[in-house]
Each structure stands twice: as structure tokens, then as C-alpha cells.
Amino acid sequence: METALDQLLSAALTDLETIPDAKALESARVKYLGKKGSLAALAAGMRDVPADQKKSVGQKLNDVRSAITARLEAARTNLQAAADSHALDGIDSSLPGRTAFTGGLHPLTLILDEAVSVLRRLGFAVAEGPEIETEFHCFDALNTPEDHPARNEKDTFYFETGELLRTHTSSVQIRTMETAEDTPLRIIAPGSAFRRDEIDATHLSSFNQLEGLYVDEKVTLADLKGTLEYFFHCLFGKATEIRFRPHFFPFTEPSYEIDIRLEAKGKQPKWIEIAGCGIVDPAVFEAVCQSRGDHLFDPERVTGFAFGMGLERLAMIRWGISDIRLLIENDIRFLKQFA
Ligand code: PHE
């Protein structure tokens, strides 16, 4: 019996040295270790082994099984390694990989993030309001009379209910003051605004604005100028010139339009209109007091400044984009430049 085991082992080891593929490996396993394999056949002979030898023969049987198992395992590993190295045939693994396109943020998002982070440093918090507005929040409370051209159906999208798509984010001023618990109040309101504008290189009927409002006991024009100068210097560089030009808005008095002039390489720099602003008209505070039913925003106690600007315009100036429509067309060739 022991001789038979020795013979089986040496036959198996020789056999297993030249296993060409996985199929041969499996049949070798079945041949030696399978239920009807050679080892099982010998094990059946254990019955006839004299009792005093059973232990050592049994031990030998186990040793032979382990040896064959180990060799089968080694052969399997070798086959796998050979297959792996084959898998790289014809492939130059030293070539640099193809970079996957990772996408990026839209220029409007980029400029908004930047604008918001500058204003947050100055203590402004982001406020929100609905895009479908009441006439009260969009016009009346902002001291905009019934016959003001902005309220015209040619300029504003109205619903049959009398509600409208907000024409500016200034409505968020009113909503925030209506629910404010205390002053001072410093908010910025970024968001969509809608006007029945003819679409061209500088106008869209749906665009984005960034409005700011600061209300406290002694807010002055100096605060307004300092804040906005700092803001535009952060956004467009310290060399940017800023000019406040008298203007009219129903909700601010005095009111200004802000023009900026950027350093332009090689070109004659020109003034570009960028924002509207002013000192909050007392009539706006009065409307808020009436709506709230208290005196937190009593115009005898508080003053404030407000400003508003188009985000698209900021992006266009920042990156020299000549047509506003590029910002909504989602042309990958355009967007890629910002990724
Ligand atoms: N709401 C004005 C606009 O849409 C901008 C503005 C905001 C002007 C706040 C003054 C104060 O043009």
C-alpha cells in the first residue's frame, strides 16, 4: 500500500509539471483527487491494512493528498500568471492614460460663487424668495407706481391670477424685511429674473441678478460706495476704475448707476454700465412697516442701501464673452474653456 502511494505521488508530480491549460488542470484534479480518482481508490484499500499499520498508512495517505493538492494549486497560480502576462501582449503599459473628461462649473456659477464669497466676507447672508411674485412685492412695496413702464404688460410676464414672474430680485428685499427679527440686516439675493425683452447679444428674457441690501441705524452713501468699490476690485482687479452716475430708481433715493472701466491690454479702456444702486427710499420702509404692522423699519430710525446687478454681465466682462446667448446654449466647446 505504501509503495502504491509513493508511486502515485511521483506519477502525479511528474504529470503536474506540464499542465498546459485550465482544462488539463481540472482533469488532473479529477484524476488524482476526485471521488473516483486514484487516491480515493487507494484509500478504499485502507480496509485491508493490518490494524497496527493503519495509523502510519493513514498518515501517508494524508501527506500524499496534501502534496498533490499543493502542486495543483501551484500549477493553477502559474497558469494564471501566464494568462495575466499574456493579457498585456501588444499593449504598451508605459503610455500615459487617456484623461477622462471631468466636467466643470458653468461660468455663471463660477462668478456667482466668487461674488457671494466676497460679500459674505463683508457680513452679507444669502436670502431667497419666489420667482413667481405678487405685484406688491415686486412693485408696490418698492415704491413703483401703477403707471411705471416696468409694470407694463410689454415688459413683465403676468399670470391670469395677477401674479407675475419677478422682473428683478429686489422683491427679496421686501420679503426679507417683512420677516426679519431685528436690524442690522445684510442680505444678498442671487436669482433668476424675467423680462419680456427681445433676445439679442446682450439680452435674455430669463437672466440672473444679484441684489444686495444693508439696513441699519446709520447707513450712508459712504458705506454703499466703500462696499461696492471693494466688491468690484475683488472681482475685476484693483486697477478697475469705478464711477457712480446719478440715475433714478423708484425704490432708492438718491440712485446711481455704477460704471466700471477695466484695464484693457492694448485697447482704449471704456466705461461699462454694471449695476444699479442707491439709498433705500423711505417709502419702501413705510410699506414694509405697514405690511409687518410694527416699527422695526421705521424710516426715522433706520436707513439702508441697496444694489442690484446682472450676473451674466459680470461673467461677460470677466471673460470677455461677446454674446450673452453663449451662456445658455450649453455648447460644450464654449463651456470647456471654464472647466
Ligand atoms: N432692481 C434694479 C434693476 O433690476 C437694480 C437695483 C437694485 C437698483 C437695488 C437699485 C437698488 O435694474
mmCIF file of all heavy atoms in Angstrom, residues 118-167:
data_model
loop_
_atom_site.group_PDB
_atom_site.id
_atom_site.type_symbol
_atom_site.label_atom_id
_atom_site.label_comp_id
_atom_site.label_asym_id
_atom_site.label_seq_id
_atom_site.Cartn_x
_atom_site.Cartn_y
_atom_site.Cartn_z
ATOM 1 N N VAL A 118 -17.170 87.077 -1.750
ATOM 2 C CA VAL A 118 -16.685 88.417 -1.384
ATOM 3 C C VAL A 118 -17.683 89.091 -0.437
ATOM 4 O O VAL A 118 -17.317 89.640 0.609
ATOM 5 C CB VAL A 118 -16.500 89.300 -2.643
ATOM 6 C CG1 VAL A 118 -16.199 90.741 -2.242
ATOM 7 C CG2 VAL A 118 -15.392 88.748 -3.535
ATOM 8 N N LEU A 119 -18.966 89.018 -0.783
ATOM 9 C CA LEU A 119 -19.971 89.714 0.027
ATOM 10 C C LEU A 119 -20.195 89.038 1.380
ATOM 11 O O LEU A 119 -20.502 89.702 2.369
ATOM 12 C CB LEU A 119 -21.278 89.824 -0.757
ATOM 13 C CG LEU A 119 -21.156 90.825 -1.928
ATOM 14 C CD1 LEU A 119 -22.256 90.626 -2.950
ATOM 15 C CD2 LEU A 119 -21.145 92.268 -1.420
ATOM 16 N N ARG A 120 -20.006 87.741 1.421
ATOM 17 C CA ARG A 120 -20.116 87.053 2.723
ATOM 18 C C ARG A 120 -19.020 87.514 3.660
ATOM 19 O O ARG A 120 -19.234 87.641 4.867
ATOM 20 C CB ARG A 120 -20.047 85.535 2.548
ATOM 21 C CG ARG A 120 -21.340 84.957 2.000
ATOM 22 C CD ARG A 120 -21.195 83.488 1.828
ATOM 23 N NE ARG A 120 -21.000 82.859 3.126
ATOM 24 C CZ ARG A 120 -21.833 81.991 3.655
ATOM 25 N NH1 ARG A 120 -22.900 81.639 3.001
ATOM 26 N NH2 ARG A 120 -21.585 81.462 4.826
ATOM 27 N N ARG A 121 -17.848 87.765 3.095
ATOM 28 C CA ARG A 121 -16.752 88.290 3.930
ATOM 29 C C ARG A 121 -17.150 89.607 4.584
ATOM 30 O O ARG A 121 -16.669 89.965 5.637
ATOM 31 C CB ARG A 121 -15.498 88.532 3.073
ATOM 32 C CG ARG A 121 -14.709 87.293 2.749
ATOM 33 C CD ARG A 121 -13.223 87.622 2.594
ATOM 34 N NE ARG A 121 -12.915 88.431 1.425
ATOM 35 C CZ ARG A 121 -12.814 87.958 0.183
ATOM 36 N NH1 ARG A 121 -12.987 86.679 -0.038
ATOM 37 N NH2 ARG A 121 -12.524 88.750 -0.811
ATOM 38 N N LEU A 122 -18.033 90.357 3.900
ATOM 39 C CA LEU A 122 -18.465 91.647 4.435
ATOM 40 C C LEU A 122 -19.698 91.500 5.337
ATOM 41 O O LEU A 122 -20.288 92.483 5.757
ATOM 42 C CB LEU A 122 -18.771 92.609 3.286
ATOM 43 C CG LEU A 122 -17.578 92.951 2.386
ATOM 44 C CD1 LEU A 122 -18.032 93.836 1.235
ATOM 45 C CD2 LEU A 122 -16.489 93.654 3.192
ATOM 46 N N GLY A 123 -20.112 90.272 5.575
ATOM 47 C CA GLY A 123 -21.212 90.052 6.511
ATOM 48 C C GLY A 123 -22.586 89.912 5.884
ATOM 49 O O GLY A 123 -23.597 89.919 6.584
ATOM 50 N N PHE A 124 -22.645 89.779 4.556
ATOM 51 C CA PHE A 124 -23.946 89.598 3.908
ATOM 52 C C PHE A 124 -24.319 88.117 3.895
ATOM 53 O O PHE A 124 -23.467 87.272 3.628
ATOM 54 C CB PHE A 124 -23.895 90.106 2.457
ATOM 55 C CG PHE A 124 -23.858 91.612 2.352
ATOM 56 C CD1 PHE A 124 -22.657 92.302 2.464
ATOM 57 C CD2 PHE A 124 -25.028 92.332 2.141
ATOM 58 C CE1 PHE A 124 -22.611 93.689 2.374
ATOM 59 C CE2 PHE A 124 -24.992 93.717 2.043
ATOM 60 C CZ PHE A 124 -23.785 94.399 2.162
ATOM 61 N N ALA A 125 -25.584 87.837 4.172
ATOM 62 C CA ALA A 125 -26.065 86.449 4.126
ATOM 63 C C ALA A 125 -26.953 86.279 2.900
ATOM 64 O O ALA A 125 -27.625 87.214 2.483
ATOM 65 C CB ALA A 125 -26.858 86.141 5.392
ATOM 66 N N VAL A 126 -26.941 85.082 2.341
ATOM 67 C CA VAL A 126 -27.745 84.838 1.140
ATOM 68 C C VAL A 126 -29.220 84.667 1.521
ATOM 69 O O VAL A 126 -29.547 83.917 2.432
ATOM 70 C CB VAL A 126 -27.236 83.580 0.397
ATOM 71 C CG1 VAL A 126 -28.176 83.219 -0.744
ATOM 72 C CG2 VAL A 126 -25.824 83.828 -0.123
ATOM 73 N N ALA A 127 -30.083 85.390 0.819
ATOM 74 C CA ALA A 127 -31.530 85.286 1.059
ATOM 75 C C ALA A 127 -32.215 84.831 -0.223
ATOM 76 O O ALA A 127 -31.698 85.046 -1.314
ATOM 77 C CB ALA A 127 -32.081 86.631 1.493
ATOM 78 N N GLU A 128 -33.372 84.213 -0.075
ATOM 79 C CA GLU A 128 -34.095 83.728 -1.244
ATOM 80 C C GLU A 128 -35.541 84.175 -1.227
ATOM 81 O O GLU A 128 -36.074 84.528 -0.165
ATOM 82 C CB GLU A 128 -34.055 82.192 -1.276
ATOM 83 C CG GLU A 128 -32.699 81.655 -1.658
ATOM 84 C CD GLU A 128 -32.689 80.145 -1.743
ATOM 85 O OE1 GLU A 128 -33.420 79.510 -0.971
ATOM 86 O OE2 GLU A 128 -31.941 79.621 -2.589
ATOM 87 N N GLY A 129 -36.135 84.145 -2.388
ATOM 88 C CA GLY A 129 -37.556 84.472 -2.498
ATOM 89 C C GLY A 129 -38.106 83.800 -3.735
ATOM 90 O O GLY A 129 -37.345 83.304 -4.571
ATOM 91 N N PRO A 130 -39.435 83.779 -3.873
ATOM 92 C CA PRO A 130 -40.043 83.070 -5.009
ATOM 93 C C PRO A 130 -39.834 83.796 -6.339
ATOM 94 O O PRO A 130 -39.691 85.026 -6.358
ATOM 95 C CB PRO A 130 -41.532 83.051 -4.654
ATOM 96 C CG PRO A 130 -41.718 84.211 -3.733
ATOM 97 C CD PRO A 130 -40.440 84.379 -2.988
ATOM 98 N N GLU A 131 -39.828 83.025 -7.425
ATOM 99 C CA GLU A 131 -39.698 83.644 -8.752
ATOM 100 C C GLU A 131 -41.066 84.112 -9.248
ATOM 101 O O GLU A 131 -41.165 85.057 -10.021
ATOM 102 C CB GLU A 131 -39.074 82.633 -9.730
ATOM 103 C CG GLU A 131 -37.615 82.366 -9.381
ATOM 104 C CD GLU A 131 -36.965 81.255 -10.182
ATOM 105 O OE1 GLU A 131 -37.613 80.685 -11.085
ATOM 106 O OE2 GLU A 131 -35.795 80.949 -9.880
ATOM 107 N N ILE A 132 -42.131 83.433 -8.785
ATOM 108 C CA ILE A 132 -43.479 83.913 -9.090
ATOM 109 C C ILE A 132 -43.872 84.850 -7.948
ATOM 110 O O ILE A 132 -43.944 84.433 -6.789
ATOM 111 C CB ILE A 132 -44.470 82.740 -9.207
ATOM 112 C CG1 ILE A 132 -44.063 81.859 -10.393
ATOM 113 C CG2 ILE A 132 -45.890 83.259 -9.370
ATOM 114 C CD1 ILE A 132 -44.901 80.610 -10.551
ATOM 115 N N GLU A 133 -44.086 86.106 -8.266
ATOM 116 C CA GLU A 133 -44.244 87.132 -7.239
ATOM 117 C C GLU A 133 -45.610 87.798 -7.293
ATOM 118 O O GLU A 133 -46.337 87.695 -8.278
ATOM 119 C CB GLU A 133 -43.160 88.201 -7.419
ATOM 120 C CG GLU A 133 -41.943 88.017 -6.509
ATOM 121 C CD GLU A 133 -42.304 88.027 -5.031
ATOM 122 O OE1 GLU A 133 -43.474 88.173 -4.660
ATOM 123 O OE2 GLU A 133 -41.364 87.876 -4.219
ATOM 124 N N THR A 134 -45.910 88.517 -6.240
ATOM 125 C CA THR A 134 -47.104 89.367 -6.240
ATOM 126 C C THR A 134 -46.691 90.752 -6.722
ATOM 127 O O THR A 134 -45.512 91.116 -6.651
ATOM 128 C CB THR A 134 -47.647 89.504 -4.808
ATOM 129 O OG1 THR A 134 -46.616 90.121 -4.011
ATOM 130 C CG2 THR A 134 -47.976 88.146 -4.210
ATOM 131 N N GLU A 135 -47.667 91.504 -7.201
ATOM 132 C CA GLU A 135 -47.367 92.879 -7.608
ATOM 133 C C GLU A 135 -46.873 93.683 -6.410
ATOM 134 O O GLU A 135 -46.043 94.578 -6.545
ATOM 135 C CB GLU A 135 -48.624 93.543 -8.196
ATOM 136 C CG GLU A 135 -48.977 93.010 -9.559
ATOM 137 C CD GLU A 135 -49.814 94.010 -10.352
ATOM 138 O OE1 GLU A 135 -49.262 95.020 -10.825
ATOM 139 O OE2 GLU A 135 -51.033 93.768 -10.468
ATOM 140 N N PHE A 136 -47.385 93.332 -5.243
ATOM 141 C CA PHE A 136 -46.970 94.066 -4.049
ATOM 142 C C PHE A 136 -45.462 93.945 -3.821
ATOM 143 O O PHE A 136 -44.763 94.939 -3.654
ATOM 144 C CB PHE A 136 -47.734 93.556 -2.812
ATOM 145 C CG PHE A 136 -47.254 94.182 -1.527
ATOM 146 C CD1 PHE A 136 -47.598 95.500 -1.212
ATOM 147 C CD2 PHE A 136 -46.432 93.485 -0.636
ATOM 148 C CE1 PHE A 136 -47.132 96.108 -0.036
ATOM 149 C CE2 PHE A 136 -45.965 94.079 0.537
ATOM 150 C CZ PHE A 136 -46.320 95.390 0.835
ATOM 151 N N HIS A 137 -44.945 92.697 -3.833
ATOM 152 C CA HIS A 137 -43.519 92.510 -3.523
ATOM 153 C C HIS A 137 -42.603 92.984 -4.635
ATOM 154 O O HIS A 137 -41.470 93.372 -4.399
ATOM 155 C CB HIS A 137 -43.236 91.041 -3.204
ATOM 156 C CG HIS A 137 -43.828 90.606 -1.905
ATOM 157 N ND1 HIS A 137 -45.041 89.952 -1.830
ATOM 158 C CD2 HIS A 137 -43.402 90.758 -0.635
ATOM 159 C CE1 HIS A 137 -45.332 89.713 -0.561
ATOM 160 N NE2 HIS A 137 -44.348 90.191 0.191
ATOM 161 N N CYS A 138 -43.102 92.909 -5.877
ATOM 162 C CA CYS A 138 -42.225 93.255 -6.993
ATOM 163 C C CYS A 138 -42.283 94.753 -7.315
ATOM 164 O O CYS A 138 -41.297 95.329 -7.765
ATOM 165 C CB CYS A 138 -42.617 92.438 -8.222
ATOM 166 S SG CYS A 138 -41.342 92.359 -9.471
ATOM 167 N N PHE A 139 -43.434 95.356 -7.054
ATOM 168 C CA PHE A 139 -43.605 96.769 -7.462
ATOM 169 C C PHE A 139 -44.107 97.696 -6.353
ATOM 170 O O PHE A 139 -43.427 98.650 -5.991
ATOM 171 C CB PHE A 139 -44.574 96.862 -8.658
ATOM 172 C CG PHE A 139 -44.060 96.183 -9.903
ATOM 173 C CD1 PHE A 139 -44.855 95.278 -10.595
ATOM 174 C CD2 PHE A 139 -42.788 96.457 -10.399
ATOM 175 C CE1 PHE A 139 -44.397 94.665 -11.751
ATOM 176 C CE2 PHE A 139 -42.325 95.845 -11.559
ATOM 177 C CZ PHE A 139 -43.132 94.945 -12.234
ATOM 178 N N ASP A 140 -45.310 97.416 -5.834
ATOM 179 C CA ASP A 140 -45.931 98.392 -4.918
ATOM 180 C C ASP A 140 -45.043 98.717 -3.721
ATOM 181 O O ASP A 140 -44.785 99.883 -3.435
ATOM 182 C CB ASP A 140 -47.285 97.861 -4.418
ATOM 183 C CG ASP A 140 -48.282 97.724 -5.564
ATOM 184 O OD1 ASP A 140 -48.343 98.658 -6.391
ATOM 185 O OD2 ASP A 140 -48.961 96.694 -5.647
ATOM 186 N N ALA A 141 -44.571 97.667 -3.035
ATOM 187 C CA ALA A 141 -43.760 97.912 -1.840
ATOM 188 C C ALA A 141 -42.431 98.564 -2.212
ATOM 189 O O ALA A 141 -41.770 99.167 -1.368
ATOM 190 C CB ALA A 141 -43.508 96.598 -1.096
ATOM 191 N N LEU A 142 -42.054 98.444 -3.471
ATOM 192 C CA LEU A 142 -40.800 99.063 -3.920
ATOM 193 C C LEU A 142 -41.073 100.443 -4.533
ATOM 194 O O LEU A 142 -40.293 100.942 -5.346
ATOM 195 C CB LEU A 142 -40.078 98.146 -4.913
ATOM 196 C CG LEU A 142 -39.410 96.935 -4.243
ATOM 197 C CD1 LEU A 142 -39.201 95.810 -5.243
ATOM 198 C CD2 LEU A 142 -38.077 97.321 -3.603
ATOM 199 N N ASN A 143 -42.195 101.012 -4.118
ATOM 200 C CA ASN A 143 -42.500 102.401 -4.485
ATOM 201 C C ASN A 143 -42.597 102.613 -5.996
ATOM 202 O O ASN A 143 -42.276 103.677 -6.499
ATOM 203 C CB ASN A 143 -41.415 103.317 -3.883
ATOM 204 C CG ASN A 143 -41.831 104.775 -3.874
ATOM 205 O OD1 ASN A 143 -43.013 105.075 -3.706
ATOM 206 N ND2 ASN A 143 -40.874 105.676 -4.077
ATOM 207 N N THR A 144 -43.028 101.552 -6.681
ATOM 208 C CA THR A 144 -43.122 101.653 -8.138
ATOM 209 C C THR A 144 -44.583 101.873 -8.518
ATOM 210 O O THR A 144 -45.413 100.979 -8.309
ATOM 211 C CB THR A 144 -42.604 100.346 -8.783
ATOM 212 O OG1 THR A 144 -41.316 100.071 -8.237
ATOM 213 C CG2 THR A 144 -42.486 100.489 -10.293
ATOM 214 N N PRO A 145 -44.926 103.049 -8.995
ATOM 215 C CA PRO A 145 -46.336 103.387 -9.222
ATOM 216 C C PRO A 145 -46.980 102.539 -10.319
ATOM 217 O O PRO A 145 -46.292 101.991 -11.185
ATOM 218 C CB PRO A 145 -46.291 104.867 -9.616
ATOM 219 C CG PRO A 145 -44.887 105.117 -10.067
ATOM 220 C CD PRO A 145 -44.008 104.153 -9.336
ATOM 221 N N GLU A 146 -48.277 102.460 -10.215
ATOM 222 C CA GLU A 146 -49.126 101.707 -11.153
ATOM 223 C C GLU A 146 -48.754 101.945 -12.626
ATOM 224 O O GLU A 146 -48.755 101.024 -13.432
ATOM 225 C CB GLU A 146 -50.579 102.166 -10.912
ATOM 226 C CG GLU A 146 -51.670 101.201 -11.301
ATOM 227 C CD GLU A 146 -51.796 100.036 -10.338
ATOM 228 O OE1 GLU A 146 -52.077 100.249 -9.133
ATOM 229 O OE2 GLU A 146 -51.597 98.916 -10.819
ATOM 230 N N ASP A 147 -48.425 103.185 -12.954
ATOM 231 C CA ASP A 147 -48.211 103.515 -14.373
ATOM 232 C C ASP A 147 -46.726 103.473 -14.773
ATOM 233 O O ASP A 147 -46.352 103.949 -15.830
ATOM 234 C CB ASP A 147 -48.783 104.907 -14.685
ATOM 235 C CG ASP A 147 -48.156 105.995 -13.810
ATOM 236 O OD1 ASP A 147 -47.323 105.639 -12.932
ATOM 237 O OD2 ASP A 147 -48.487 107.183 -13.991
ATOM 238 N N HIS A 148 -45.891 102.883 -13.902
ATOM 239 C CA HIS A 148 -44.461 102.794 -14.245
ATOM 240 C C HIS A 148 -44.273 101.849 -15.433
ATOM 241 O O HIS A 148 -44.908 100.783 -15.488
ATOM 242 C CB HIS A 148 -43.683 102.287 -13.035
ATOM 243 C CG HIS A 148 -42.185 102.413 -13.188
ATOM 244 N ND1 HIS A 148 -41.443 101.512 -13.901
ATOM 245 C CD2 HIS A 148 -41.314 103.343 -12.725
ATOM 246 C CE1 HIS A 148 -40.169 101.878 -13.874
ATOM 247 N NE2 HIS A 148 -40.060 102.985 -13.159
ATOM 248 N N PRO A 149 -43.412 102.213 -16.380
ATOM 249 C CA PRO A 149 -43.252 101.375 -17.589
ATOM 250 C C PRO A 149 -42.860 99.923 -17.296
ATOM 251 O O PRO A 149 -43.274 99.016 -18.028
ATOM 252 C CB PRO A 149 -42.155 102.082 -18.386
ATOM 253 C CG PRO A 149 -41.714 103.260 -17.582
ATOM 254 C CD PRO A 149 -42.669 103.467 -16.455
ATOM 255 N N ALA A 150 -42.125 99.686 -16.214
ATOM 256 C CA ALA A 150 -41.712 98.308 -15.909
ATOM 257 C C ALA A 150 -42.909 97.416 -15.621
ATOM 258 O O ALA A 150 -42.841 96.198 -15.776
ATOM 259 C CB ALA A 150 -40.759 98.306 -14.710
ATOM 260 N N ARG A 151 -44.033 98.026 -15.206
ATOM 261 C CA ARG A 151 -45.203 97.225 -14.851
ATOM 262 C C ARG A 151 -46.057 96.903 -16.067
ATOM 263 O O ARG A 151 -46.998 96.105 -15.979
ATOM 264 C CB ARG A 151 -46.055 97.967 -13.811
ATOM 265 C CG ARG A 151 -45.297 98.190 -12.534
ATOM 266 C CD ARG A 151 -46.141 98.869 -11.496
ATOM 267 N NE ARG A 151 -47.192 98.006 -10.967
ATOM 268 C CZ ARG A 151 -47.658 98.102 -9.729
ATOM 269 N NH1 ARG A 151 -47.169 99.000 -8.903
ATOM 270 N NH2 ARG A 151 -48.604 97.304 -9.320
ATOM 271 N N ASN A 152 -45.708 97.520 -17.158
ATOM 272 C CA ASN A 152 -46.431 97.316 -18.409
ATOM 273 C C ASN A 152 -46.409 95.846 -18.828
ATOM 274 O O ASN A 152 -45.429 95.150 -18.611
ATOM 275 C CB ASN A 152 -45.708 98.155 -19.471
ATOM 276 C CG ASN A 152 -46.562 98.397 -20.664
ATOM 277 O OD1 ASN A 152 -47.039 97.450 -21.289
ATOM 278 N ND2 ASN A 152 -46.774 99.659 -20.978
ATOM 279 N N GLU A 153 -47.501 95.409 -19.430
ATOM 280 C CA GLU A 153 -47.538 94.010 -19.889
ATOM 281 C C GLU A 153 -46.526 93.724 -20.986
ATOM 282 O O GLU A 153 -46.227 92.580 -21.286
ATOM 283 C CB GLU A 153 -48.938 93.663 -20.395
ATOM 284 C CG GLU A 153 -49.843 93.244 -19.261
ATOM 285 C CD GLU A 153 -51.101 92.599 -19.763
ATOM 286 O OE1 GLU A 153 -51.012 91.780 -20.696
ATOM 287 O OE2 GLU A 153 -52.165 92.924 -19.213
ATOM 288 N N LYS A 154 -46.023 94.776 -21.578
ATOM 289 C CA LYS A 154 -44.988 94.586 -22.603
ATOM 290 C C LYS A 154 -43.648 94.276 -21.972
ATOM 291 O O LYS A 154 -42.735 93.796 -22.623
ATOM 292 C CB LYS A 154 -44.856 95.860 -23.451
ATOM 293 C CG LYS A 154 -45.906 96.010 -24.522
ATOM 294 C CD LYS A 154 -45.218 96.556 -25.788
ATOM 295 C CE LYS A 154 -46.045 97.579 -26.513
ATOM 296 N NZ LYS A 154 -46.267 98.844 -25.848
ATOM 297 N N ASP A 155 -43.484 94.591 -20.688
ATOM 298 C CA ASP A 155 -42.198 94.395 -20.025
ATOM 299 C C ASP A 155 -42.195 93.241 -19.031
ATOM 300 O O ASP A 155 -41.152 92.715 -18.689
ATOM 301 C CB ASP A 155 -41.798 95.673 -19.279
ATOM 302 C CG ASP A 155 -41.397 96.768 -20.247
ATOM 303 O OD1 ASP A 155 -40.463 96.531 -21.022
ATOM 304 O OD2 ASP A 155 -42.054 97.822 -20.255
ATOM 305 N N THR A 156 -43.383 92.898 -18.545
ATOM 306 C CA THR A 156 -43.476 91.930 -17.461
ATOM 307 C C THR A 156 -44.354 90.757 -17.874
ATOM 308 O O THR A 156 -45.351 90.948 -18.558
ATOM 309 C CB THR A 156 -44.091 92.612 -16.209
ATOM 310 O OG1 THR A 156 -43.303 93.744 -15.889
ATOM 311 C CG2 THR A 156 -44.144 91.679 -15.032
ATOM 312 N N PHE A 157 -43.954 89.550 -17.466
ATOM 313 C CA PHE A 157 -44.790 88.363 -17.706
ATOM 314 C C PHE A 157 -45.815 88.255 -16.580
ATOM 315 O O PHE A 157 -45.450 88.005 -15.432
ATOM 316 C CB PHE A 157 -43.930 87.083 -17.702
ATOM 317 C CG PHE A 157 -42.944 86.983 -18.836
ATOM 318 C CD1 PHE A 157 -41.598 87.260 -18.623
ATOM 319 C CD2 PHE A 157 -43.347 86.577 -20.101
ATOM 320 C CE1 PHE A 157 -40.674 87.138 -19.667
ATOM 321 C CE2 PHE A 157 -42.434 86.451 -21.136
ATOM 322 C CZ PHE A 157 -41.089 86.738 -20.923
ATOM 323 N N TYR A 158 -47.087 88.431 -16.907
ATOM 324 C CA TYR A 158 -48.148 88.300 -15.893
ATOM 325 C C TYR A 158 -48.867 86.973 -16.030
ATOM 326 O O TYR A 158 -49.003 86.441 -17.126
ATOM 327 C CB TYR A 158 -49.178 89.419 -16.067
ATOM 328 C CG TYR A 158 -48.702 90.761 -15.548
ATOM 329 C CD1 TYR A 158 -48.115 91.681 -16.405
ATOM 330 C CD2 TYR A 158 -48.829 91.087 -14.196
ATOM 331 C CE1 TYR A 158 -47.665 92.911 -15.927
ATOM 332 C CE2 TYR A 158 -48.383 92.317 -13.721
ATOM 333 C CZ TYR A 158 -47.799 93.223 -14.591
ATOM 334 O OH TYR A 158 -47.353 94.410 -14.119
ATOM 335 N N PHE A 159 -49.342 86.459 -14.904
ATOM 336 C CA PHE A 159 -50.240 85.303 -14.929
ATOM 337 C C PHE A 159 -51.670 85.824 -14.847
ATOM 338 O O PHE A 159 -51.898 86.963 -14.415
ATOM 339 C CB PHE A 159 -49.956 84.389 -13.728
ATOM 340 C CG PHE A 159 -48.610 83.727 -13.796
ATOM 341 C CD1 PHE A 159 -47.516 84.298 -13.151
ATOM 342 C CD2 PHE A 159 -48.431 82.542 -14.492
ATOM 343 C CE1 PHE A 159 -46.265 83.694 -13.210
ATOM 344 C CE2 PHE A 159 -47.188 81.935 -14.552
ATOM 345 C CZ PHE A 159 -46.096 82.512 -13.909
ATOM 346 N N GLU A 160 -52.616 84.941 -15.193
ATOM 347 C CA GLU A 160 -54.011 85.372 -15.115
ATOM 348 C C GLU A 160 -54.426 85.698 -13.694
ATOM 349 O O GLU A 160 -55.335 86.474 -13.444
ATOM 350 C CB GLU A 160 -54.927 84.283 -15.689
ATOM 351 C CG GLU A 160 -55.066 84.421 -17.200
ATOM 352 C CD GLU A 160 -55.538 83.151 -17.870
ATOM 353 O OE1 GLU A 160 -56.060 82.255 -17.169
ATOM 354 O OE2 GLU A 160 -55.369 83.058 -19.107
ATOM 355 N N THR A 161 -53.740 85.094 -12.728
ATOM 356 C CA THR A 161 -54.062 85.330 -11.314
ATOM 357 C C THR A 161 -53.666 86.724 -10.852
ATOM 358 O O THR A 161 -53.963 87.113 -9.730
ATOM 359 C CB THR A 161 -53.271 84.353 -10.442
ATOM 360 O OG1 THR A 161 -51.870 84.533 -10.768
ATOM 361 C CG2 THR A 161 -53.651 82.920 -10.711
ATOM 362 N N GLY A 162 -52.921 87.436 -11.705
ATOM 363 C CA GLY A 162 -52.428 88.749 -11.271
ATOM 364 C C GLY A 162 -50.997 88.653 -10.757
ATOM 365 O O GLY A 162 -50.321 89.660 -10.560
ATOM 366 N N GLU A 163 -50.540 87.408 -10.527
ATOM 367 C CA GLU A 163 -49.137 87.245 -10.137
ATOM 368 C C GLU A 163 -48.247 87.446 -11.360
ATOM 369 O O GLU A 163 -48.740 87.537 -12.483
ATOM 370 C CB GLU A 163 -48.912 85.859 -9.544
ATOM 371 C CG GLU A 163 -49.553 85.689 -8.184
ATOM 372 C CD GLU A 163 -49.530 84.243 -7.726
ATOM 373 O OE1 GLU A 163 -50.006 83.380 -8.497
ATOM 374 O OE2 GLU A 163 -49.027 83.987 -6.638
ATOM 375 N N LEU A 164 -46.952 87.470 -11.139
ATOM 376 C CA LEU A 164 -46.041 87.755 -12.253
ATOM 377 C C LEU A 164 -44.702 87.060 -12.021
ATOM 378 O O LEU A 164 -44.415 86.596 -10.912
ATOM 379 C CB LEU A 164 -45.836 89.271 -12.354
ATOM 380 C CG LEU A 164 -45.507 90.022 -11.061
ATOM 381 C CD1 LEU A 164 -44.015 90.010 -10.773
ATOM 382 C CD2 LEU A 164 -45.998 91.453 -11.161
ATOM 383 N N LEU A 165 -43.913 86.959 -13.077
ATOM 384 C CA LEU A 165 -42.544 86.479 -12.920
ATOM 385 C C LEU A 165 -41.716 87.689 -12.507
ATOM 386 O O LEU A 165 -41.744 88.719 -13.183
ATOM 387 C CB LEU A 165 -42.015 85.905 -14.236
ATOM 388 C CG LEU A 165 -42.639 84.582 -14.685
ATOM 389 C CD1 LEU A 165 -42.066 84.150 -16.040
ATOM 390 C CD2 LEU A 165 -42.382 83.488 -13.638
ATOM 391 N N ARG A 166 -40.996 87.579 -11.402
ATOM 392 C CA ARG A 166 -40.324 88.772 -10.880
ATOM 393 C C ARG A 166 -39.388 89.374 -11.930
ATOM 394 O O ARG A 166 -38.676 88.650 -12.634
ATOM 395 C CB ARG A 166 -39.575 88.448 -9.595
ATOM 396 C CG ARG A 166 -38.396 87.515 -9.774
ATOM 397 C CD ARG A 166 -37.737 87.227 -8.428
ATOM 398 N NE ARG A 166 -36.601 86.321 -8.604
ATOM 399 C CZ ARG A 166 -36.043 85.640 -7.622
ATOM 400 N NH1 ARG A 166 -36.482 85.748 -6.386
ATOM 401 N NH2 ARG A 166 -35.017 84.842 -7.864
ATOM 402 N N THR A 167 -39.426 90.689 -12.043
ATOM 403 C CA THR A 167 -38.611 91.377 -13.052
ATOM 404 C C THR A 167 -37.247 91.725 -12.484
ATOM 405 O O THR A 167 -36.346 92.125 -13.207
ATOM 406 C CB THR A 167 -39.296 92.672 -13.491
ATOM 407 O OG1 THR A 167 -39.555 93.463 -12.320
ATOM 408 C CG2 THR A 167 -40.604 92.374 -14.187
#
